[in-house]
Amino acid sequence: MIKITFPDGNVKEFEAGITAYQIAEGISPRLAADVLAASVNGKVYDLDRPIMEDASLKLHKWEDQEAKTTFWHSSSHLMAEALESLYPGVKFGIGPAIENGFYYDIDLGEKQLVEADLAAIEQKMLELARTKEQFTRIDVSKAEAMKKYTEKGDQYKCELIDGLDDGTITFYTNGAFTDLCRGPHLRDTSMIKAVKLTSIAGAYWRGDENNKMLTRIYGITFPKKSLLDEYLVLLEEAKKRDHRKLGKELELFTFSSKVGMGLPLWLPKGAALRERLEQFLRKVQKEYGYQQVITPHIGNKELYITSGHWAKYGKDSFRPITTPEEGEEYLLKPMNCPHHCEIYKSKPRSYKDLPLRFAEFGTVYRYEQSGELHGLTRVRGFTQDDAHLFCRQDQIKEEFCKIIDIILYIFKTLDFKEFTAQISLRDPNNKTKYIGSDENWAKAEAAIIEASAEKNLPTVVEYGEAAFYGPKLDFMVKDAIGRKWQLGTIQVDYNLPERFELEYTGADDKKYRPVMIHRAPFGSMERFVAVLLEHTGGKFPLWLTPDQVAVLPVSEKYNDFAKKVCDLLNNSDIRAFLDDRNETIGKKIRENEMKRVPFLLIVGEKEQESNTVSVRRQGEGDKGAMSVEEFKNFIKEEIQKQLN
């Protein structure tokens, strides 16, 4: 007999070999029908996989991410089966579940898939799903696995198998299709009721530009058609909010092939918006005792060898820059932290000096693969709102609390209402991949957990997700249409102080290592602006928006009065512009609303005579007449309210 512990703490005994599905069935047939996967001792299992020892058990329904991941991973195998049926001889790379759906990288030889081919693949998937094919797990030896795919002529699977240890290899079969896979999977394909293949892209095998370009098919599936319909509506809304589209419409940023892929050019309105974000954070940081520093865009290669970034990021960096000095090499900096370590080391430090908080809007460079570049969210040059805090071990919790305060203030001001804080800790069963003493790790992890509890953060704990140099706290934010973005991170680091031999003198006159905390509330200015654009649909908060007010004369007779109003507003630090085009007032209103200008001031004969403006607000329509002074006060109060 084995003991199964349920999430509520209840413990029951079952015969060894019982499955999660059988346990669910014993609780309720309805539950068994809804369950898609199970976590056994924290690891996601197939529902029909025997449980052989005492374990904690959690059953996952569609609402759980573990269930969705299992569902979409199974769907990628179903798509692969459909492809093999429609295109005999197709070869397969990898086919994982992703945040929303799945993809599979395939090699069709000379055949080029186009969007029009996707409908037939979808139909074949639904046809196969209805046959209720079971997903069957098979343990195989490395030799057997290699033999199968050598005979099949699939060099991609052979390459994957070559990197696996014997005794760890499993196949999964559904219908006529067998795949190299760790699982887990659904019980059978009948649960997949709705299918949409969303796009086709190119992807180099293993992300290496020297390898063959494979065809990547993206898709998503659901257990009900109504869920697919809801998703497609969401997809349409996401297209409208695409930051690349909005960035062009609002004249915020552009790209140039002559400048280089993944290197954004900020246009005047975008540069001003970015500057306002920076000033906003600078002001907050000043209140919390941060000191601004500036470091160069390059550094000697030896700096990054010392920090370990050359070993970790060397292959993703731009090639070293050689100088006329023989053997001398520089790198475009991939990280700001080594530079900040050298600033710390520039003079002796005492325990009384700590904590030291160095902040920098520092631009870094990484050579992302061209296929991975995406608007502002994945670029090759980006500016981090970086800060590095050097503190004593007993100061970690207090510093964490203060950083959390900053992040929560940013979220509130920018209307990010839903978020989860992920506490990433060491894998307690495999400590060999981490540096630092058990004592230091215990203190740092406790500090993060306690700080999160004190601030009443909604948290999830993930073991094994810590960085090798220390635990961290990542903020996962939901945007206005329910998508998740990682914004804001706080990381404890024992590694760099060790590598750079950083020290401070304690009260006992002995030398100690400081603890280093990395934090970036925005993450990067580029990615944050992209997320903010999509979250707001381009309707930025009033204090941040590029153009706050458009002044619209109803005819050219009132242009002088309109210009006077515009000048009065600009002289009061309200961003206003004059739209004196020879167009109808209706057209000017429509076009400025399309540009997401928050306030439109219409001026004509009545307004000129009474020295007033007729106010229209984006999304709310006519707000009546105000004097210019009243409007100035109104808009300033509104901004103050948002920032407080």
Side-chain angles (χ1 to χ4, degrees):
M1 301 298 287
I2 59 172
K3 291 178 180 177
I4 300 294
T5 305
F6 293 89
D8 62 0
N10 193 17
V11 179
K12 289 188 178 179
E13 285 197 343
F14 297 91
E15 281 191 28
I18 194 165
T19 67
Y21 182 77
Q22 288 169 331
I23 293 172
E25 209 170 25
I27 297 169
S28 143
R30 175 72 196 194
L31 176 63
D34 290 342
V35 169
L36 300 174
S39 285
V40 178
N41 289 331
K43 186 178 177 184
V44 185
Y45 264 39
D46 305 315
L47 288 174
D48 288 329
R49 186 171 170 183
I51 304 170
M52 303 306 297
E53 58 188 10
D54 292 351
S56 62
L57 176 71
K58 185 177 181 185
L59 301 170
H60 297 297
K61 297 197 282 188
W62 173 256
E63 293 73 26
D64 299 331
Q65 190 56 47
E66 294 89 343
K68 287 186 174 78
T69 299
T70 303
F71 194 92
W72 288 330
H73 189 189
S74 300
S75 299
S76 78
H77 281 229
L78 180 64
M79 182 175 75
E81 184 188 7
L83 285 163
E84 201 165 61
S85 171
L86 294 169
Y87 305 102
V90 60
K91 296 173 185 176
F92 296 97
I94 58 169
I98 54 177
E99 187 179 353
N100 280 304
F102 57 90
Y103 69 77
Y104 221 124
D105 290 341
I106 62 170
D107 183 352
L108 284 164
E110 298 302 310
K111 166 73 180 170
Q112 292 291 316
L113 271 189
V114 294
E115 298 283 339
D117 297 322
L118 297 181
I121 302 168
E122 289 172 1
Q123 286 305 311
K124 190 66 179 176
M125 287 175 70
L126 288 169
E127 177 190 315
L128 293 168
R130 285 191 287 267
T131 64
K132 202 175 181 177
E133 298 172 346
Q134 288 189 322
F135 285 93
T136 309
R137 175 188 169 101
I138 312 159
D139 291 298
V140 293
S141 68
K142 189 167 183 175
E144 286 176 294
M146 192 64 85
K147 181 173 183 289
K148 173 180 171 60
Y149 284 104
T150 302
E151 288 173 355
K152 195 177 179 183
D154 195 327
Q155 70 270 31
Y156 306 109
K157 295 296 183 186
C158 288
E159 192 177 320
L160 291 172
I161 292 163
D162 193 47
L164 298 175
D165 294 329
D166 204 357
T168 66
I169 300 171
T170 54
F171 286 170
Y172 273 83
T173 296
N174 54 292
F177 179 70
T178 298
D179 203 358
L180 171 72
C181 183
R182 288 194 186 96
H185 284 286
L186 299 172
R187 298 188 74 226
D188 63 62
T189 59
S190 66
M191 296 175 178
I192 302 169
K193 306 284 189 188
V195 176
K196 180 65 182 175
L197 301 185
T198 51
S199 64
I200 301 171
Y204 291 108
W205 170 236
R206 299 200 133 177
D208 187 337
E209 288 178 327
N210 298 314
N211 289 336
K212 184 171 181 179
M213 174 78 80
L214 302 182
T215 300
R216 177 171 292 180
I217 306 176
Y218 287 96
I220 195 163
T221 53
F222 294 92
K224 295 178 185 174
K225 186 177 181 302
S226 60
L227 292 172
L228 173 59
D229 294 339
E230 287 170 19
Y231 176 77
L232 294 176
V233 170
L234 183 70
L235 211 57
E236 282 307 307
E237 182 60 29
K239 283 179 187 174
K240 291 178 198 169
R241 291 170 178 258
D242 189 318
H243 75 276
R244 295 167 299 176
K245 172 178 171 286
L246 292 175
K248 186 175 182 181
E249 288 174 7
L250 300 177
E251 299 178 10
L252 300 179
F253 60 88
T254 189
F255 289 88
S256 161
S257 58
K258 282 191 171 70
V259 172
M261 293 175 69
L263 299 171
L265 300 170
W266 290 88
L267 304 176
K269 287 182 182 180
L273 179 139
R274 220 180 103 151
E275 178 66 19
R276 281 189 288 280
L277 277 172
E278 285 190 17
Q279 290 304 328
F280 164 68
L281 187 54
R282 281 182 206 272
K283 184 171 180 287
V284 178
Q285 287 178 165
K286 191 174 180 182
E287 291 168 6
Y288 280 85
Y290 285 78
Q291 300 175 70
Q292 207 69 29
V293 297
I294 298 173
T295 61
H297 289 248
I298 65 172
N300 193 295
K301 184 178 171 184
E302 290 301 318
L303 176 71
Y304 307 110
I305 290 173
T306 300
S307 70
H309 288 106
W310 174 249
K312 188 170 176 61
Y313 293 107
K315 67 179 189 301
D316 297 321
S317 297
F318 286 85
R319 293 301 86 202
I321 304 162
T322 56
T323 72
E325 188 75 34
E326 182 150 355
E328 187 177 55
E329 290 184 309
Y330 284 80
L331 292 181
L332 288 169
K333 68 174 173 182
M335 289 284 192
N336 298 303
C337 22
H339 298 248
H340 291 190
C341 287
E342 287 297 305
I343 290 175
Y344 178 93
K345 206 173 178 182
S346 62
K347 69 176 189 178
R349 307 287 181 179
S350 157
Y351 72 98
K352 293 178 182 177
D353 299 326
L354 304 183
L356 276 172
R357 308 177 186 95
F358 297 141
E360 176 180 19
F361 289 92
T363 303
V364 297
Y365 302 89
R366 296 181 199 159
Y367 192 79
E368 302 284 0
Q369 300 295 330
S370 57
E372 299 293 323
L373 298 174
H374 182 82
L376 292 181
T377 58
R378 199 73 180 265
V379 288
R380 287 175 173 166
F382 53 95
T383 303
Q384 293 178 309
D385 60 320
D386 231 347
H388 297 96
L389 295 81
F390 301 88
C391 63
R392 304 189 306 266
Q393 189 78 40
D394 62 296
Q395 294 171 322
I396 293 176
K397 179 183 164 185
E398 184 182 355
E399 291 306 306
F400 247 85
C401 285
K402 288 177 179 177
I403 297 168
I404 290 169
D405 284 340
I406 292 173
I407 291 173
L408 294 183
Y409 173 60
I410 289 168
F411 287 175
K412 187 176 181 183
T413 305
L414 293 168
D415 202 32
F416 288 108
K417 291 173 181 169
E418 287 189 67
F419 65 89
T420 304
Q422 179 177 304
I423 301 171
S424 299
L425 306 178
R426 258 195 323 182
D427 180 349
N429 301 316
N430 181 13
K431 297 178 181 177
T432 55
K433 59 181 181 177
Y434 307 98
I435 66 155
S437 69
D438 285 348
E439 182 188 3
N440 282 346
W441 271 88
K443 286 177 182 174
E445 291 183 340
I448 293 176
I449 292 166
E450 287 169 20
S452 301
E454 273 186 30
K455 296 298 177 184
N456 293 315
L457 296 182
T459 58
V460 293
V461 176
E462 295 290 347
Y463 290 96
E465 291 299 314
F468 74 94
Y469 50 73
K472 57 180 183 167
L473 189 67
D474 291 324
F475 289 80
M476 314 302 294
V477 176
K478 263 192 184 179
D479 70 10
I481 56 173
R483 297 169 303 178
K484 284 185 184 173
W485 304 86
Q486 195 255 307
L487 291 178
T489 186
I490 316 172
Q491 304 175 358
V492 177
D493 186 353
Y494 297 109
N495 178 46
L496 288 183
E498 192 69 40
R499 282 177 170 269
F500 282 93
E501 299 178 342
L502 305 184
E503 293 179 337
Y504 68 89
T505 304
D508 57 1
D509 276 339
K510 291 181 180 176
K511 297 294 184 184
Y512 296 92
R513 289 262 184 267
V515 179
M516 189 174 178
I517 300 176
H518 306 243
R519 57 105 276 205
F522 292 158
S524 82
M525 299 304 293
E526 286 72 13
R527 190 167 179 276
F528 191 80
V529 169
V531 173
L532 195 55
L533 257 175
E534 300 204 4
H535 176 57
T536 62
K539 296 176 184 176
F540 293 111
L542 186 57
W543 66 272
L544 184 60
T545 195
D547 294 311
Q548 294 171 323
V549 181
V551 183
L552 316 179
V554 297
S555 76
E556 62 182 16
K557 284 194 296 184
Y558 309 106
N559 283 356
D560 289 344
F561 177 63
K563 185 177 185 309
K564 181 183 168 188
V565 170
C566 201
D567 290 344
L568 282 167
L569 294 173
N570 281 308
N571 289 338
S572 300
D573 293 325
I574 294 168
R575 294 183 294 279
F577 70 93
L578 175 64
D579 185 351
D580 58 359
R581 294 174 298 153
N582 188 24
E583 298 287 357
T584 66
I585 192 67
K587 184 173 182 181
K588 287 198 276 192
I589 288 171
R590 282 194 305 276
E591 290 184 352
N592 281 293
E593 285 191 337
M594 289 288 288
K595 289 177 183 175
R596 297 162 179 81
V597 180
F599 287 98
L600 309 182
L601 303 186
I602 293 120
V603 297
E605 183 178 4
K606 185 175 65 175
E607 288 78 19
Q608 184 171 277
E609 286 175 359
S610 59
N611 200 30
T612 60
V613 289
S614 182
V615 182
R616 287 182 65 89
R617 186 164 194 170
Q618 172 77 236
E620 295 180 16
D622 187 15
K623 306 300 286 184
M626 292 185 194
S627 71
V628 177
E629 198 61 33
E630 282 175 330
F631 178 72
K632 278 189 338 190
N633 292 336
F634 168 76
I635 204 168
K636 288 194 168 186
E637 283 172 19
E638 191 90 354
I639 289 167
Q640 207 55 45
K641 208 184 296 176
Q642 289 180 359
L643 290 174
N644 287 338

